[in-house]
Every structure is written in structure tokens, then in C-alpha cells.
Amino acid sequence: MMSAVHFFLKACLIMDQPQNFKRWLRFLFFSLLFGVSFGEVRYVLPEEMQRGSVIGNVARDLGLKVTELGARRARVVAEGTGQLCELDTASGNLLISQRIDREELCAQAAVCILQYQLLLEAPLQAHSLVLDIADINDNSPVFAAGDINLDLVESTVLGRRFPLESAHDPDLGTNSIREYKLSPNDHFALEMSTQINGNAYPELVLKKPLDREAKAEHVLKINGIDGGNPVRSGTASIHVRVLDANDNVPVFSQRVYKASVPENSAVGTVILTLNATDLDEGVYGEITYSFSHLSDKLAGVLDMNPLTGEVRVVGLIDYEEASTHELDVQAKDGGGQASHCKLIIDVIDVNDNEPVIEIKSASANIGEDSKPGTMVALINIYDMDTGSSGQVTCTIPDNVPFKFVSEVKNYYMLVTDGKLDRELQPGYNISITATDAGSPSLSSVKVLTIMVNDINDNPPTFMQSEYNANILENQPIGTFVMKVKAEDTDDGPNAKVLFQISRDTNSEVFSFLTINSDTGELFTSRLFDYEQSVHFQIKVIARDGGDPPLSATCTIHVFIKDQNDNTPAVLYPVQSSGFIAEDMVPIEAPRGYLVTKVVAVDADSGHNAWLSYKIIRATRPNLFMVGLHTGEIRTARPFMEEDEQKQTVVVLVTDNGPESLSATATVSIVIGDGLPVLNELFEFVDESQDSDKLTLYLIIALSTVSFLFLLLITGVFYFKLCRQSYVYRSTTASLPVFPTTYCPPSFTDFSHCGTLLNDDRYDSFLTTGSWRGDFRFGANTDTDTLKKRSAAYQKSTLRRISADRASLKVRAGVPHPCYVVK
């Protein structure tokens, strides 16, 4: 309000007359009352202020902090007019940004008001700013015609009045025309007269008789003077010709004519026809019609037929520019006599303006985590038409999560009306439709594009929650293992996925593998030994680049695959450079009699641990034979007298790896006289060759029939079958004789004779083509420990003393496959 007073006082300095001061004081009082009543800030300022001039301090007048203006993106927006002022957010001052010409903006309106809105965001607020433009004396009076011609007869009676055209001054009030002055002369005087509408105009009054013979022409000067300070004036010349008698003046049928015309009427449309009559005849009775004063704008809109008085539309007539036109019309006869009337044309508004959609503020991007009610855009919608044609409704499509909220007239806030999800809809093209209530209605559409900004609301997702990987043992460090893949549906940095091995992984295996953080590729970081570790698992974390980051975890099961890297180890007979235990066989033993058994194990697994036995050297080549898969040494024929009493057999033990490894076992056999022959150790092996072939054919046929079925289930159970232990059993009566004291305490004897290691060091398995017991050395067995224990035992067990042969006998009781040394 203080700004209004400031500009009022400034205007009063220009208008220094006492009566003007009182008039401005009354106007200011009502202006302040109006502003306070409607809660708006009103500034009264003179026109033609310099650009950059301060209108008022908005922050102070609205009770706002200056820092608040910048933080809340404060700005001034116009309503249907040009942006003539701007806000300095640094100081809070409202500044002139363009030239303000009251006559151009409001023409002859008594009050010139410019409406603006001060908008602030977060939260949205709108304050009404009203600029009341005060007139200053910046225009001089102007006569439409610089030369005024009057033809008067010399018989004109004294006191006859001749209306003259008024000077036009665009200024208002005291700045408009105040008085007229006529140059000094003997015949004429100037007096003022008032029209019906209150407008004053000058009249030339004859004060002294005219004498054409004395003076045929009189030249006068008329000055139009305004009431401004400083005073401005305009001048026109009056040429009076003295003629013979012209007794009558044209007379209009009406002093005031009123007509109406719809805006946008077609060119040539007749608005009305004026009528004036003159009782004279001839030239003095011919009437010519003309506008006394017509502005440049109206000159291109309206035209009058000088002979008929028809007023026609010759250009675009627009209600929004002016709803009423008041014109002075002159009817002049051939003798120079003239009269005047007033023509008032009302323009009828039609619905010819589409609603205007102006986006005052818009956020091109909005976060997908925005809460419902978050403002996206501020839109000003208005219609230049009036009445129902100016009533506007605004709509947007129903299938978007936005809605309109209006708290200030003609202003709409576009706010969110639901949850946004960039992954489902990354952006919206919202069609804003404004429709007026005219008949027919008009509408306009504007598309507002809003992009949804991504937030980190989706964690990475692995293709699988668990992965299986196989690694061959003894592979070099840096061997590629596998690649894990994770995807993140977010965008930008939020979708950047980095991989790492979880710290939750067992600390012993945490460093077994390394991972490429960008690609998810896993590599070995150490050598693996199947015999030490068969399986381990790690957890891999995929973490995105959001803030805060989100992550997901998958489990990787790593299986170490065996390679044939261990040679078979002979458990029995114990091999020592100093002593080899001797096995006894009766001299009466028939063909196929079980003499002893070579027991060997392989620390590898599966096929790599399948062992085969072969005699590579013997004292008598054809005296003994060995089971291919059992290692059982049997007699190949009965003993003869020429056979040496002590026989040495070297057995080659070979595994089944791709590149087989082998070991040799030296067996010392003593042929004893008088030893009993045990039926349990005798096997009939006189099967014919045909029987062997038949068995082979049956096996092949059975394998062929079963192949398809086995092929279906092999893929499913391959892993389990590869690690499945095979049990190869026989009757306990067929096992060789191993003294109980041969084995250390950590061994377990499956045959109850103390010949094998503790059962937690063995996996039993079934060997193809044999019915006898065989053994697989456990993956966690330390072969060095076996060798040490075997060497220690060699010195104290199974020593053959010839004197004790007779003392060897079968243990009494139930037949048992073990021999006992007494």
C-alpha cells in the first residue's frame, strides 16, 4: 500500500493544481479501500516511467522474506496482457520492464487497470498485483483537420452559432482539453457548448454583420489547450468565405443515434443510415456526411457514405478491443452550414476466441517416488470472450495419474493423483483441453510432456538363485569358472550392477575364487585338490549404483572334479625293501585255489579309482593267476614236484584313468606240505569257452535293451552316479587270511579279520564282473600314513618260521575265512 501512496505523491507533483490534488486524494482512498477489501496489493503509477524503475517492494508489502522469493521460484505473470513488469528476486522490488502507455493500453477508459499474479511455489501461492496506470500529460490536443472551411452568407444574422470540430486529446481528466481560444478579430467570437453526453465543443458565434463587398474571406486561428502541467496545445486554421444567402442549416432526425453490430461482421455490413435534412434547394440543400473525428484504428474498421449517410463495416470489428464506439458525425450543406450528432455503436460479443492455455510453470521431470498431490505444472487458462463464452472448463485424460486442482481463478495446478512407476511408464504426454461454454463451443489443446525420473526402487535380480559350477582339480590360478548375470530394471546409475563375493561366505573358502566386479566372471585364485575338498559354496552379491544401493545374493555351488593324479597304493602285502610277508598254500591245492589277495586302493574317485590287476613276472609263469578286478591270486594248475617251494609273483596294479597310473606288488608264496585244503578257498573255474561267450552275448543284449532307458535317466542322476560308491561283496569264506594284529587301530575289518582301514576312510563300490570283496580308498586317506604304518607293522607280523608250519591249523568252531597264527 505504501507503494501506491508513493506513486500518488509523485503524480501529484506533476498535477500541482489544488482541485486536481483533491481529486487524486479521493481516487487514492477508493483504490486503497478496494485493494484491502480483496486482499490484493495495488500500485498506482504514472505511465511512461523509465525501464528499470521501481514500482514497489513486493516482499515488504506482502510480508515475505526476500530470501524466500528465490527459494520458492517467485515470478510475476500477466493475465492476458503483455509482461510490462518483472520481479527482482534479489531485492523484492517490482520493476518496469517495458514502456507503459496508458492511451495505448486503455484508450479513453476512465480507469486503466493491469492485473498480474505473483506466483510462489512449494507450496503454491498466488498473490494478486494490480497496477493502476495514472495518466500524465504526454499528448497535445490535435484537430482532425488542420484547416476548417466555413461558407457564410453575408445576410447571416448576428448571434448565429457555427459548431466547430473538437480537438482530440488522448489524455484524460485535467490533461485533456480544458479551453479553446480564438485569434483576435472583429466579426467572430468563440463560445463553448455541451453535447447530450456532456462533451464540450467550440462554436463560432457571429458578432458583427458580414459584408462580402468589404471582405470576402476571414482567416482565424483556434487553439485547443489542455489542463496539464506543462500546458500543451493544438492549433487549426478557420477559413470563412462570405457567400450569398444560405438560409437553412442541415438538421439530423436524432441528436443521438444508437446501433449494434456483432463482432467479426462481414465487410460491407450496414450498421445504420443517418438522416439529415436541409430545407434549402440546389447546392445549399445538398448534404454531405462525415465523421468529425475518427481514430486511426477505427478508420480501418468503419466507413460512412458521404452522400447517403450509411455507416458500414470495412474491417475487422472486435469486441475484445472495444465493446462500444462513440463517434461525432457532421452533416454539412453546400453552403458550408453544418450540424452535428452523436453515433453510439455497441459491439455484440460472439464466441470467436478459443480458450488460451498458458503454462506458467512446469517441471519437465518428476521423481517416481513423488507423493500424491505433488505439483507438476501451473497453468493459466482464460478466454477473451465474455459471458458464457468466456467460461472455461479444463480437462485431462482419465488414464494418467494426474489431476487438476484450482485454488486461484483461472489458474490450475496439475498434481499427481497416484503412484508413479518409471519402469512401467517412463513418461507422459498429457493433453490439456480447455473448452468454453459458448454456442458452438470452442476448445484448444496443449500437450505437456512430463518425464518420470528414476529412483533406486528395484534391486538387482539374478537369472538364477543358485548356480552349479565344476572345476577340474589342479587347474592353474586364474582359470575361468563361470559367469553370473544380474539385471536391474532401474535406469542410469541405479541400474549399474557391481558384483562381489559375500563376506558371509565361509572364511576358509572366501578367497578360493575372485570375481570381476563389472562382468560377474568368476576365476580361481588357488589350486584345488579333489582329495582334499570335493565341494564348497560361495555367495555372490550384486549391488546397484543407487543411493542407498540395493543388492541381491545368489549361491554358487562349486564341485571339484577328479583327475587321475594319484597312483594306486598297495595295502597288502606290505611292500618293504627289507621284508615281504610270505603267504602259505597247501601243496595239494587244486586249480583255482585262493592263495592270497593283493589289496590296493586309489585316492582318486570314480573311474580313476577302478583298479585292475595283472601278473607281469613270476617264478613259474603258468603257476598262478590273478583276478583282473579282485586282485585274488589263485593257482592256475596243481603243484608239481619240480615247482620251487618258494614262489615270487609280481603283480601290476593299474587304475582306470585316461592316462593310467600303476604300482607293483611283490607277493612271496611258500608251498607248504601238510597244510589242509579248505573248500571255502576253492573255486571251480572249468567253465567252457562257449559258456563264457554265451555270458558275453547275454550281457551285450541286456546292455543294448537297457541303453535307451539308461540314457534318459543318466543326465538327471549323472552327478550322483559319478559319486555313487559301488559295493562289491562276496561270502566271507572266500577272503584271504590276514592276521588281526596286521592292521593298526584306525583300520576296520569288513571281514572281521582286521585287514582294512577304519570305515570312515573307505567308500565301498561294486566292481564289474566279480563277486568278491573289493575296496576303494577314501578320498581323505593319507597314503603316506598308510605306508608308514605298513612299514612299522612289517617288522612284527607275518614272519614265516619254517618250524612253525606244523602249528598252523584251522580255528575250531564255525568255519571262518581267517587264519590265526599261534
Side-chain angles (χ1 to χ4, degrees), residues 128-168:
S128 180
L129 302 179
V130 177
L131 302 186
D132 191 340
I133 309 302
D135 184 49
I136 64 172
N137 192 27
D138 57 340
N139 294 283
S140 298
V142 176
F143 288 92
D147 293 321
I148 302 173
N149 296 315
L150 292 177
D151 294 330
L152 304 179
V153 294
E154 57 181 341
S155 61
T156 303
V157 297
L158 296 179
R160 179 73 182 272
R161 307 174 77 89
F162 302 94
L164 300 177
E165 181 181 354
S166 301
H168 176 69

Side-chain angles (χ1 to χ4, degrees), residues 62 134 273 354 418 421 527 651:
L62 291 175
T273 301
E354 295 180 350
D421 191 341
L527 296 176
V651 178

Side-chain angles (χ1 to χ4, degrees), residues 14 16 137-140 174-175 225-233:
I14 300 174
D16 57 353
N137 192 27
D138 57 340
N139 294 283
S140 298
T174 57
N175 295 324
I225 303 171
D226 64 21
N229 185 15
V231 175
R232 292 178 178 267
S233 64

Side-chain angles (χ1 to χ4, degrees), residues 747-769:
F747 284 53
T748 297
D749 184 6
F750 281 108
S751 63
H752 307 288
C753 296
T755 59
L756 297 179
L757 289 174
N758 194 355
D759 56 357
D760 63 352
R761 295 179 177 266
Y762 291 87
D763 291 332
S764 57
F765 62 92
L766 185 59
T767 304
T768 306

Side-chain angles (χ1 to χ4, degrees), residues 569-571 574 744 746-747 757 761 777 780-793:
V570 178
L571 300 181
V574 178
S746 61
F747 284 53
L757 289 174
R761 295 179 177 266
F777 197 52
N780 55 354
T781 302
D782 189 344
T783 55
D784 293 337
T785 303
L786 288 176
K787 292 178 180 180
K788 292 177 181 180
R789 291 179 178 175
S790 298
Y793 173 74

Side-chain angles (χ1 to χ4, degrees), residues 636-649:
R637 60 177 176 79
F639 295 112
M640 293 185 286
E641 291 183 0
E642 60 269 20
D643 292 334
E644 291 81 355
Q645 184 180 8
K646 184 176 181 180
Q647 297 286 330
T648 301
V649 177

Side-chain angles (χ1 to χ4, degrees), residues 350-353 385 389 435-443:
V350 297
N351 191 26
D352 62 334
N353 291 284
D385 295 319
S389 299
T435 306
D436 62 26
S439 180
S441 63
L442 299 177
S443 63

Side-chain angles (χ1 to χ4, degrees), residues 646-660:
K646 184 176 181 180
Q647 297 286 330
T648 301
V649 177
V650 179
V651 178
L652 178 66
V653 184
T654 307
D655 61 25
N656 195 39
E659 296 180 1
S660 61

